[in-house]
Amino acid sequence: AAGVLGVAGRRDCSYKSEEASDENMSVEAVDREAATSSRPCTPPQTSWFEFLLEESLLEKHLKKASPDPSPVQLIVQFLEQASKPLVNEQNQVQPPPDNKRNRILKLLALKVAAHLKWDLDVLEKSLSVPVLNMLLNELLCVSKVPPGTKHVDVDLASLPPTTAMAILLYNRWAIRTIVKSSFPVKQVKPGPPQLNVMNQIQQEKEVTENILKVLKEQAADSILVLEGALKLNKDLYIHTIRTLDLLAMEPGMVNGETESSTAGFSISAEEMQCQVCYDLGAIYFQQGSTNSTLYGNAREKFFRTKELISKIGSSLHYTIDERRLAGYCQACGVLSPSSDDASQPATPYSRIHSCLRSGNYQELVKIFLEDNLTPSLPVQFRQSVLRELFQKAQQGDDAMNEICFKVCSCNSVCDVMQGRPVGIQFNQLFLKPTKEKIDFLLEVCSKSINVESASESSKRKMAYFLKNLCLGLEDLQLVFMISSHELFIALLKDDERKLLIDQMRKRSPRVNLGTKLITSFYDIPASASVNIGQLEHQLILSVDPWRIRQILIELHGMTSERQFWTVSNKWEVPNIYGNVILGIKDNLTRDLVYILMAKGLHCSAIKDFVHAKQLFSACLELVTEFSPKLRQVMLNEMLLLDIYTHEAGAGLSGERPPSDLISRVRGYLEMRVPDIPLRQVVAEECVAFLLNWRENEYLTMQVPLPLVQTNPYVKLGQLLAATCKDLPGPKESRRAAKDLWEVVVQICSVSSQHKRGNDGRVSLIKQRESTLGIMYRSEMLSFIRKLREPLVLTTILSLFVKLHNIREDIVNDITAEHISIWPSSIPNLQSVDFEAVAVTIKELVSYALTINSNNHFWLIIQADIYFATNQYSAALHYYLQAGAVCSDFFTKMVPPDVYTDQVIKRMIKCCSLLNCHTQVAILCQFLREVDYKTAFKVLQEQNSHDAMDSYYDYIWDITILEYLTRILL
């Protein structure tokens, strides 16, 4: 097959050359073809099945400099083909058959692994866990390991060398895989979602997890197997391509010493022990997090590995990462110190960890200072120590702040000397420089460089650091401390020092804001924090205005490119305010005003009025001096907050608001300041507030006329106040009621449009939320839900009940108080959306009963609504509840204006339709004229769903009693 493909390739190339030499072709075509034919032809990739057709092809392929496919790709292909399931004629999936083809494919995979000398580092790097698991299980199979035998129960010393080596290789891989799975792995960024690919990835992930689960369950056995291997003193052999060929030819012999078992690749006992000790040390170290005594075992294995490496030297067939081994040894020296360490020189790592455990932080700083001159500690280790100190400082240990600064200073000077930028932690800790901090920093600089022997590059780095340090200080006395230090004098030339001092003296003092707006607010000193992310997190959580200001100053000191009012998408400010706030030029002031207002509005929304008041007060103090417009905005918002506070607190118990608050509400409604952004909700709440506290006189007579004409809520509130004010008066004074009626009818009207259809007919389209009225119905309903005054709610309920009853097709009227004050007809009934009216009544009654569930008139309205909608059980419930609340649970007489004849008749009908016939007979007695006809009729009913005989004690009418006696006899 390969020969045929090669011939085809050659024919293709020669064919192009012949075309290029054709005399009839154009010059351009000849040039193009010549260029094409000059390119080398890429040899075709060898397919996996070609290795089945030619036995010697595999060794030839593997001997190439860069074989394509690579050895590990061949392993994957061979095992993938050998493990493909079959589908029979009934479309049932069958396991892969154990035939000659599949056995040869598995043997080819083992030969490729043998070519790689069974190097687990190479195999683990390129093969997935399921593939490598399958490969090593095949190795166990061909190495004559009895299937189903536990490796821990096998005596390795009695096994053939290749068999023992196969068991060791498998168990080494098992614990290496467990250790590797405990390391965090960076997730591969997924490409475009493809269903087949995603399914394959998910299946491989599940298989890998299942294999890992089994390996972890058998980890103890694998450790015992490897520990037993350390007692072997004989050399072992591992299969090569030749021994695998011999196995394929000779008959199966279990545990037999054959030529193939001793003719493989020889591994000395010491080299095997070296590999096993390293792998055992890794698994012990990994398990040490749950059992600290295992760190001692890991220490023993790692140090034994070092001894064997030094003894064997460069004869290792497999390499061990000595840098990682050194790291393991250092970690074990810290986690499990030994008495033998006293005789050995302590490393910086062990000294630092000893200081951290004992709390000897001065010695810790000394170690860092020593390392600055001759750096040996990695920068990541330095940073991890600093993070640990920061965590202790954040837990409330104030003494740690000084240590954090000292260690951070050592790290920063080390960064400078090695050409790295100074970290943000140093700038934060150096926000408030003091004489003590400058003294220590100069000490660190002096001990980090030997001026006499240092290179010019190192000297310039230190000089620039000291120079920039001076430029960042405002206090000239602190600058003089640095400029007069011997290190500064030694590193900077005379003209450089003089120029720097002149710059410092002439420089104007640095101010955080362009103008100092409020002395009392901005004179609070800002404290340093940890990093931008943590500061932003604190900014989101904090509701303390002074802390918010401190955080923003720190954040703006770190970066001037961010807009910190966008940190949280929960910070919402109305657009009419946002446009004004975002127009503030100073970034810090803009962020501060926006965040204070957003947090204040949020606290107000969740009824955290105390913090809302603090935030609004701080914001008001901030904007007072530079923006009269924002000052008025904050005064309006604080008025709204005071209304909310009173209504949620003292107002619930009926306590009248202070006169000052009422005056401020009136002042807002009368305000005539141009260009002030106003929120509609403020006016809405002010009108509702005045209605709730019966300020009807003011709303009726004193509200400015332009405000009534421009604000729909003020107009609606004025009409409600006027109607309520006229209710006790004569019936003739109904002008306000008529005006209110017309306004509500307009709101509940629908705008109709004519539209011609495809068939030529003209149809009528009704617009539910029409714009005919002064506001939408939903807006009116939202406003009414802010009202709590019973008379106002009764009035608006009465109006809607009357509007509902005017409907032509109405069968059962709803009753309400003061229903006679409303007009009895509407000129155009078709324009009213009666469905919306019915929905509105239900919503209003439900809301009113949340305000006062004992108002018997509202309960009667609720009962009538249920009665009108044929919900007789619910209607009877509310009729009875209305009678109970006004008669002290029927211990007194129910007022006749509550249980009218109409109400009694409706209760009778409810009981009748519920088949409670005895109850009907009892209720008939309550009518002004006893309904004997109905009573006699229901008493004849045989099936009654009530208590029947138990109710006879409540029949007092003699006629009904006589009739009952006659029919019972």
Side-chain angles (χ1 to χ4, degrees):
V4 172
L5 292 172
V7 171
R10 289 195 294 273
R11 284 178 181 174
D12 183 63
C13 292
S14 63
Y15 174 69
K16 291 178 180 177
S17 300
E18 290 169 7
E19 282 190 337
S21 62
D22 194 338
E23 294 179 358
N24 297 328
M25 293 178 66
S26 64
V27 175
E28 293 82 357
V30 171
D31 292 340
R32 184 171 61 251
E33 289 300 324
T36 305
S37 62
S38 64
R39 298 194 194 106
C41 294
T42 304
Q45 188 183 62
T46 308
S47 299
W48 62 270
F49 61 83
E50 296 182 48
F51 298 100
L52 288 173
L53 303 176
E54 184 179 348
E55 292 183 9
S56 61
L57 181 60
L58 180 62
E59 291 191 55
K60 294 176 183 177
H61 180 80
L62 294 175
K63 288 179 181 178
K64 293 178 182 178
S66 299
D68 186 21
S70 66
V72 288
Q73 289 175 333
L74 281 177
I75 293 175
V76 174
Q77 291 177 13
F78 291 150
L79 293 180
E80 183 181 32
Q81 295 300 324
S83 60
K84 271 190 175 180
L86 293 180
V87 180
N88 60 17
E89 295 178 356
Q90 288 78 28
N91 286 331
Q92 294 176 337
V93 178
Q94 302 291 329
D98 185 18
N99 53 27
K100 182 178 180 181
R101 168 189 174 274
N102 287 347
R103 286 195 295 271
I104 293 175
L105 285 170
K106 293 175 183 177
L107 184 63
L108 289 173
L110 293 173
K111 286 183 177 182
V112 177
H115 169 75
L116 297 174
K117 298 183 179 180
W118 301 98
D119 190 339
L120 287 179
D121 289 330
V122 175
L123 295 174
E124 288 172 341
K125 184 177 180 181
S126 305
L127 299 179
S128 64
V129 171
V131 173
L132 194 46
N133 179 62
M134 184 177 178
L135 179 69
L136 293 176
N137 274 294
E138 287 301 321
L139 175 63
L140 292 172
C141 184
V142 301
S143 299
K144 315 302 181 185
V145 177
T149 303
K150 277 191 172 186
H151 296 173
V152 72
D153 297 333
V154 177
D155 182 12
L156 294 178
S158 64
L159 294 177
T162 50
T163 306
M165 193 63 194
I167 292 177
L168 290 184
L169 193 65
Y170 177 84
N171 286 279
R172 280 186 57 216
W173 168 76
I175 63 173
R176 286 165 65 104
T177 304
I178 295 171
V179 172
K180 189 176 179 181
S181 68
S182 67
F183 297 155
V185 179
K186 183 178 180 181
Q187 295 293 328
V188 180
K189 187 176 181 181
Q194 300 178 9
L195 187 59
N196 292 337
V197 176
M198 291 176 67
N199 287 338
Q200 290 175 4
I201 294 174
Q202 182 62 29
Q203 288 174 4
E204 183 175 337
K205 183 179 178 182
E206 291 176 358
V207 173
T208 302
E209 289 175 353
N210 290 334
I211 293 172
L212 278 172
K213 182 180 179 183
V214 174
L215 293 180
K216 289 176 180 177
E217 291 173 354
Q218 299 175 353
D221 288 351
S222 295
I223 292 173
L224 288 175
V225 169
L226 296 180
E227 286 283 6
L230 295 178
K231 300 174 184 177
L232 294 177
N233 293 319
K234 65 176 182 178
D235 294 347
L236 299 179
Y237 293 87
I238 193 163
H239 284 297
T240 61
I241 294 178
R242 177 173 174 273
T243 59
L244 290 170
D245 282 334
L246 291 173
L247 280 175
M249 290 186 294
E250 65 184 35
M253 293 177 61
V254 178
N255 296 346
E257 289 283 348
T258 66
E259 180 189 359
S260 61
S261 67
T262 56
F265 188 71
S266 177
I267 306 292
S268 68
E270 289 179 337
E271 186 172 353
M272 178 271 294
Q273 291 176 6
C274 182
Q275 297 286 338
V276 170
C277 280
Y278 180 76
D279 293 334
L280 282 173
I283 190 68
Y284 286 143
F285 191 88
Q286 186 253 343
Q287 294 176 346
S289 58
T290 55
N291 184 0
S292 58
T293 58
L294 291 176
Y295 285 127
N297 295 355
R299 172 193 172 86
E300 177 189 344
K301 301 304 179 189
F302 285 132
F303 278 90
R304 176 60 179 162
T305 304
K306 287 182 68 174
E307 292 175 7
L308 289 169
I309 288 176
S310 61
K311 182 177 180 181
I312 299 171
S314 59
S315 65
L316 279 173
H317 293 107
Y318 307 124
T319 57
I320 287 178
D321 188 346
E322 295 193 34
R323 290 186 60 187
R324 180 179 285 271
L325 176 61
Y328 272 132
C329 290
Q330 287 182 348
C332 290
V334 172
L335 296 169
S336 179
S338 173
S339 58
D340 298 337
D341 295 340
S343 59
Q344 299 177 358
T347 63
Y349 293 98
S350 59
R351 292 173 61 197
I352 288 173
H353 282 287
S354 176
C355 292
L356 289 173
R357 283 199 303 268
S358 62
N360 189 357
Y361 298 116
Q362 298 302 328
E363 181 65 21
L364 176 70
V365 174
K366 182 181 176 182
I367 297 170
F368 272 78
L369 278 174
E370 293 173 356
D371 191 73
N372 271 21
L373 189 58
T374 56
S376 63
L377 297 173
V379 62
Q380 295 84 358
F381 179 76
R382 283 173 165 267
Q383 291 171 351
S384 68
V385 173
L386 182 58
R387 280 195 297 270
E388 186 174 341
L389 296 174
F390 269 132
Q391 290 175 357
K392 292 183 178 180
Q394 288 177 342
Q395 292 170 0
D397 191 348
D398 295 335
M400 292 303 300
N401 291 329
E402 180 185 355
I403 303 299
C404 287
F405 171 75
K406 290 184 176 182
V407 173
C408 186
S409 299
C410 294
N411 286 354
S412 300
V413 174
C414 183
D415 289 338
V416 169
M417 296 305 295
Q418 296 185 21
R420 293 188 295 267
V422 176
I424 191 173
Q425 292 95 342
F426 177 77
N427 292 323
Q428 291 172 331
L429 294 173
F430 209 65
L431 279 175
K432 294 193 297 181
T434 61
K435 181 179 179 299
E436 291 75 15
K437 288 184 177 181
I438 297 293
D439 280 338
F440 180 78
L441 190 58
L442 290 172
E443 179 188 351
V444 174
C445 292
S446 300
K447 292 184 177 181
S448 300
I449 185 173
N450 189 338
V451 179
E452 296 179 356
S453 60
S455 64
E456 285 299 321
S457 174
S458 299
K459 291 179 182 179
R460 295 316 300 168
K461 289 174 184 175
M462 182 63 76
Y464 286 140
F465 173 69
L466 294 174
K467 184 177 178 181
N468 290 331
L469 196 63
C470 291
L471 291 173
L473 295 172
E474 295 180 3
D475 192 338
L476 290 179
Q477 292 182 353
L478 299 179
V479 174
F480 181 75
M481 285 179 62
I482 299 174
S483 62
S484 60
H485 194 271
E486 57 182 0
L487 180 63
F488 186 88
I489 296 171
L491 294 177
L492 271 79
K493 299 177 182 178
D494 291 342
D495 53 349
E496 288 180 315
R497 294 200 306 274
K498 291 178 181 178
L499 179 61
L500 177 63
I501 298 301
D502 290 339
Q503 287 177 346
M504 296 298 298
R505 286 173 177 168
K506 293 177 182 179
R507 188 181 64 181
S508 58
R510 186 175 60 190
V511 183
N512 285 329
L513 300 175
T515 56
K516 197 173 185 181
L517 303 176
I518 304 167
T519 303
S520 63
F521 195 72
Y522 279 101
D523 281 348
I524 302 173
S527 63
S529 194
V530 185
N531 55 43
I532 290 180
Q534 288 180 327
L535 286 174
E536 289 180 347
H537 182 66
Q538 293 176 23
L539 186 64
I540 292 173
L541 297 180
S542 180
V543 289
D544 181 0
W546 315 109
R547 178 60 185 149
I548 292 170
R549 173 257 168 196
Q550 288 177 313
I551 294 171
L552 282 174
I553 289 178
E554 291 181 31
L555 287 171
H556 278 274
M558 296 175 192
T559 175
S560 59
E561 299 176 358
R562 291 284 304 278
Q563 294 180 334
F564 292 102
W565 61 272
T566 62
V567 166
S568 173
N569 58 4
K570 301 295 184 183
W571 293 340
E572 296 179 355
V573 167
N575 290 333
I576 55 172
Y577 294 166
N579 296 332
V580 180
I581 295 172
L582 298 182
I584 299 173
K585 294 181 180 179
D586 182 77
N587 293 339
L588 173 58
T589 307
R590 180 191 60 227
D591 287 346
L592 190 53
V593 172
Y594 189 98
I595 293 172
L596 288 175
M597 178 175 284
K599 283 179 173 286
L601 291 172
H602 174 71
C603 289
S604 177
I606 63 174
K607 301 187 184 302
D608 184 2
F609 301 124
V610 174
H611 284 121
K613 184 81 170 181
Q614 295 173 358
L615 291 160
F616 281 161
S617 298
C619 193
L620 175 63
E621 185 182 358
L622 177 61
V623 301
T624 295
E625 295 298 328
F626 72 93
S627 177
K629 184 182 295 187
L630 284 175
R631 177 181 180 276
Q632 189 57 53
V633 165
M634 291 314 305
L635 289 173
N636 296 343
E637 289 299 325
M638 291 188 73
L639 170 63
L640 181 61
L641 178 64
D642 289 342
I643 292 174
Y644 286 154
T645 304
H646 182 269
E647 295 295 87
L652 290 177
S653 59
E655 182 180 336
R656 277 191 66 80
S659 57
D660 172 64
L661 181 56
I662 296 177
S663 300
R664 288 167 59 200
V665 171
R666 293 180 178 180
Y668 174 83
L669 295 176
E670 298 168 6
M671 181 178 60
R672 290 294 174 271
V673 181
D675 300 329
I676 298 296
L678 300 174
R679 280 210 296 162
Q680 186 72 277
V681 68
V682 184
E684 186 180 345
E685 290 289 348
C686 285
V687 173
F689 178 80
L690 293 175
L691 283 171
N692 286 333
W693 296 105
R694 297 177 289 281
E695 293 291 324
N696 296 334
E697 187 72 29
Y698 172 79
L699 284 171
T700 305
M701 308 297 296
Q702 299 178 33
V703 175
L705 184 60
L707 184 62
V708 177
Q709 295 172 344
T710 57
N711 194 312
Y713 295 101
V714 176
K715 182 174 183 178
L716 182 61
Q718 185 186 59
L719 291 174
L720 276 169
T723 304
C724 293
K725 183 178 171 222
D726 291 344
L727 280 180
K731 294 183 179 179
E732 292 77 17
S733 57
R734 296 180 181 173
R735 177 65 189 170
K738 183 181 179 183
D739 291 343
L740 178 60
W741 170 268
E742 291 175 353
V743 166
V744 173
V745 168
Q746 285 285 348
I747 292 173
C748 295
S749 296
V750 290
S751 56
S752 302
Q753 296 179 355
H754 294 278
K755 181 180 180 181
R756 186 177 298 277
N758 296 332
D759 56 356
R761 296 182 180 179
V762 177
S763 58
L764 188 65
I765 301 175
K766 290 186 176 182
Q767 194 74 26
R768 274 293 165 89
E769 287 280 0
S770 78
T771 55
L772 298 175
I774 61 174
M775 65 179 70
Y776 290 118
R777 185 181 66 88
S778 57
E779 293 175 335
M780 178 186 66
L781 194 58
S782 174
F783 171 72
I784 294 172
R785 284 183 174 143
K786 301 178 188 298
L787 302 175
R788 292 187 296 101
E789 213 287 316
L791 184 59
V792 177
L793 289 174
T794 299
T795 302
I796 197 71
L797 270 173
S798 172
L799 188 154
F800 273 97
V801 166
K802 181 67 176 181
L803 188 57
H804 173 270
N805 292 342
I806 286 179
R807 187 173 179 175
E808 292 178 343
D809 58 347
I810 195 73
V811 177
N812 296 306
D813 284 351
I814 301 174
T815 58
E817 285 185 288
H818 313 303
I819 203 165
S820 61
I821 67 173
W822 311 111
S824 57
S825 62
I826 298 175
N828 185 9
L829 281 175
Q830 300 298 325
S831 65
V832 178
D833 186 356
F834 284 105
E835 292 181 9
V837 171
V839 171
T840 304
I841 291 178
K842 293 178 182 177
E843 293 180 351
L844 289 180
V845 174
S846 297
Y847 168 71
L849 289 174
T850 63
I851 300 299
N852 182 6
S853 59
N854 293 330
N855 188 307
H856 50 271
F857 289 113
W858 296 348
L859 290 167
I860 292 293
I861 295 174
Q862 181 71 82
D864 284 348
I865 292 172
Y866 281 126
F867 185 84
T869 55
N870 302 326
Q871 299 179 65
Y872 300 112
S873 179
L876 184 61
H877 169 80
Y878 278 98
Y879 284 135
L880 291 172
Q881 190 173 341
V885 298
C886 64
S887 64
D888 197 8
F889 288 93
F890 299 107
T891 58
K892 301 174 184 176
M893 182 178 178
V894 179
D897 58 339
V898 177
Y899 274 0
T900 62
D901 272 7
Q902 180 181 352
V903 171
I904 298 296
K905 288 178 180 179
R906 289 187 173 183
M907 294 173 69
I908 289 172
K909 185 174 181 181
C910 290
C911 291
S912 178
L913 292 171
L914 293 171
N915 289 330
C916 298
H917 302 298
T918 315
Q919 295 177 17
V920 172
I922 293 172
L923 288 172
C924 286
Q925 303 173 104
F926 286 94
L927 294 169
R928 292 181 183 176
E929 295 183 5
V930 180
D931 187 354
Y932 292 114
K933 180 179 179 181
T934 301
F936 294 163
K937 181 181 178 181
V938 297
L939 287 174
Q940 294 177 13
E941 294 288 342
Q942 297 299 317
N943 296 319
S944 185
H945 294 170
D946 55 25
M948 297 182 69
D949 296 354
S950 300
Y951 285 123
Y952 293 158
D953 292 341
Y954 302 101
I955 297 177
W956 64 85
D957 185 86
I958 300 299
T959 306
I960 295 177
L961 282 171
E962 290 176 346
Y963 179 79
L964 186 61
T965 303
R966 186 176 66 83
I967 62 174
L968 289 175
L969 293 174

